[in-house]
Amino acid sequence: MLKFTEEHEWLKIEGDVATVGITQHAAEQLGDLVFVELPDVGASFSKGDDAATVESVKAASEVYCPLDGEIVEVNQAIADDPSLVNSAPQGDGWFFKLKLANPSDADALLDEAVYKELVG
């Protein structure tokens, strides 16, 4: 199941684990990324918490935790090479995997059609 937030994160949900990244739209708005700071594995976040930081040639921005949960894996490849986020934001450019505290909370997030309407 693929879901989106109004803050331009995407989630690919498999069971009770969501792979989280930023959308193509967000990556385009940020421009070329030069730095990515990822959360620690084992850290717990609530929906809306700052979970990661990205810096681009244009600005720095936070990546918000889309739902309550615990970080179970991070994508070290994007910390080593932030351009992966620009080249494949919804593929190899994922940020972290989140074990969802309440998987049913994902039902309240946007589906792809609604997100596409949001970004026009």
Side-chain angles (χ1 to χ4, degrees), residues 72-95:
V72 292
E73 186 178 346
V74 296
N75 186 1
Q76 187 60 42
I78 64 168
D80 297 339
D81 182 4
S83 70
L84 280 175
V85 178
N86 294 108
S87 63
Q90 291 181 226
D92 292 340
W94 61 276
F95 278 65

Side-chain angles (χ1 to χ4, degrees), residues 4 17-18 22 52 88 99 107 115 117 120:
F4 296 85
V17 175
I22 63 171
K99 184 173 182 180
D107 294 342
Y115 179 75
E117 276 184 38

Side-chain angles (χ1 to χ4, degrees), residues 6 8 13-14 19 23 27-28 32 35 40-41 54 57 62-64 68 78 80 86 88 90-92 98 106 110:
E6 292 180 4
H8 310 291
I13 301 169
E14 298 167 297
T19 302
T23 64
E28 289 171 2
D32 293 335
F35 177 76
D40 293 328
V41 171
V54 294
V57 293
E62 304 301 325
V63 176
Y64 301 108
D68 297 351
I78 64 168
D80 297 339
N86 294 108
Q90 291 181 226
D92 292 340
L98 183 72
L110 308 175

Side-chain angles (χ1 to χ4, degrees), residues 5-73:
T5 71
E6 292 180 4
E7 290 76 31
H8 310 291
E9 287 94 19
W10 59 265
L11 298 82
K12 182 179 179 186
I13 301 169
E14 298 167 297
D16 63 352
V17 175
T19 302
V20 179
I22 63 171
T23 64
Q24 179 80 40
H25 175 80
E28 289 171 2
Q29 294 298 309
L30 287 165
D32 293 335
L33 294 186
V34 295
F35 177 76
V36 174
E37 181 178 356
L38 295 168
D40 293 328
V41 171
S44 293
F45 291 96
S46 297
K47 180 179 179 179
D49 285 351
D50 298 344
T53 302
V54 294
E55 290 182 22
S56 71
V57 293
K58 292 181 179 177
S61 184
E62 304 301 325
V63 176
Y64 301 108
C65 195
L67 295 170
D68 297 351
E70 177 184 338
I71 304 297
V72 292
E73 186 178 346

